[in-house]
């Protein structure tokens, strides 16, 4: 984990510990196969932002994790490739000289990889500028991390989805693995205490459970 990423997390620590609801996702699923993309679209979501490693692919791979291929294609069919984007904290950042990794992922997965110098949870402006035609609450962020993906989405008024069952620990960043354990324990504690996610207008009179597939 690079120094700029640690700095980003430190800058948002006040939000994590004083505003604990910002760490609570609107929807928790095992993986993307459990997301009802049709219902998500019907709810009013216009665009999907995906984390990559351990959300769509094994760590540092450019290829969709084979068991997820059907769900991935379904998301593209329902929303359109132009309304999907990948927001990685490696590919498409300053850690990706010439954006070579981003271009390889785009070729493999068929959707754009966001170019951003600030890492999640601090690159909200870049993503919102990319989807400038949409209100933030009509964008869903989908990923496996609380302090990056969920916090990033909630800070920017998006609909947040946590994919809790990671694909693989092999080749995964050691520090990310350690922090993820802390994140999930903290999340369970907050949920057990009854802390709810930030208000989202699409869920005003609904429970997010109807967006799950078993």
């Amino acid at each position: 984990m690079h120094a700029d990423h640690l700095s980003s997390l430190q800058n948002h620590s006040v939000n994590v510990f004083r505003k604990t609801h910002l760490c609570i996702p609107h929807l928790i699923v095992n993986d993307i196969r459990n997301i009802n993309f049709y219902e998500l679209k019907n709810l009013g979501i216009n665009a999907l932002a995906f984390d990559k490693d351990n959300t769509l692919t094994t760590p540092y791979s450019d290829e969709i994790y084979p068991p997820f291929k059907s769900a991935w294609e379904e998301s593209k069919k329902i929303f359109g490739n132009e309304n999907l984007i990948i927001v990685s904290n490696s590919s498409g950042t300053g850690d990706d000289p010439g954006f070579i990794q981003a271009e390889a992922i785009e070729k493999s997965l068929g959707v754009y990889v966001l170019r951003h110098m600030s890492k999640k949870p601090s690159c909200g402006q870049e993503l919102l500028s990319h989807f400038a035609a949409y209100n933030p609450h009509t964008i869903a962020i989908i990923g496996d991390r609380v302090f990056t993906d969920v916090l990033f989405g909630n800070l920017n008024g998006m609909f947040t989805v946590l994919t809790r069952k990671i694909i693989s620990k092999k080749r995964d960043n050691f520090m990310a693995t350690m922090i993820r354990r802390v994140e999930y324990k903290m999340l369970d504690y907050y949920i057990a205490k009854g802390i709810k996610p930030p208000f989202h207008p699409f869920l005003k009179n609904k429970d997010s459970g109807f967006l799950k597939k078993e």
Side-chain angles (χ1 to χ4, degrees):
M1 184 171 293
H2 296 274
D4 58 341
H5 188 196
L6 286 172
S7 177
S8 175
L9 290 177
Q10 289 168 354
N11 289 339
H12 289 288
S13 62
V14 65
N15 290 313
V16 173
F17 297 108
R18 291 186 182 177
K19 300 180 181 179
T20 53
H21 65 294
L22 291 174
C23 295
I24 311 297
H26 295 103
L27 178 66
I28 300 175
V29 295
N30 283 336
D31 56 59
I32 67 167
R33 294 173 296 182
N34 302 116
I35 301 172
N36 192 325
F37 291 109
Y38 286 105
E39 290 295 346
L40 205 58
K41 179 71 172 178
N42 290 336
L43 190 67
I45 298 298
N46 292 319
L48 305 178
F50 287 89
D51 175 52
K52 186 183 79 71
D53 291 345
N54 270 322
T55 299
L56 296 176
T57 73
T58 55
Y60 303 104
S61 170
D62 297 341
E63 304 290 332
I64 191 73
Y65 182 52
F68 293 177
K69 186 174 181 179
S70 178
W72 176 238
E73 293 303 319
E74 180 183 68
S75 71
K76 291 195 287 186
K77 179 181 178 181
I78 293 170
F79 286 88
N81 290 31
E82 71 279 6
N83 290 316
L84 269 63
I85 195 168
I86 293 170
V87 186
S88 168
N89 267 357
S90 53
S91 303
T93 72
D95 296 339
D96 180 12
F99 301 128
I100 294 174
Q101 294 175 10
E103 291 176 359
I105 293 165
E106 289 168 346
K107 184 177 181 180
S108 174
L109 298 184
V111 304
Y112 183 69
V113 175
L114 185 70
R115 273 56 165 177
H116 57 107
M117 292 301 102
S118 298
K119 296 187 177 184
K120 293 176 291 185
S122 297
C123 57
Q125 188 55 54
E126 290 97 326
L127 179 59
L128 296 180
S129 294
H130 179 82
F131 286 130
Y134 299 139
N135 290 326
H137 66 263
T138 69
I139 302 170
I141 174 75
I142 301 167
D144 69 300
R145 296 289 309 282
V146 174
F147 290 167
T148 55
D149 305 311
V150 174
L151 181 58
F152 167 68
N154 284 338
L155 282 169
N156 291 284
M158 303 176 199
F159 186 90
T160 52
V161 182
L162 179 70
T163 53
R164 182 155 179 163
K165 188 175 181 180
I166 67 169
I167 298 172
S168 176
K169 293 181 181 179
K170 292 182 179 179
R171 298 181 61 204
D172 199 7
N173 179 286
F174 175 78
M175 185 63 71
T177 299
M178 295 298 101
I179 293 176
R180 187 188 291 110
R181 291 179 183 174
V182 174
E183 291 175 337
Y184 287 6
K185 287 182 179 180
M186 182 196 70
L187 178 64
D188 289 341
Y189 174 75
Y190 287 158
I191 290 176
K193 288 191 69 174
I195 297 174
K196 303 296 183 183
F199 170 80
H200 194 283
F202 293 166
L203 294 177
K204 185 175 181 180
N205 299 309
K206 294 184 178 181
D207 186 305
S208 62
F210 79 102
L211 293 167
K212 290 184 181 181
K213 284 182 177 179
E214 297 303 327

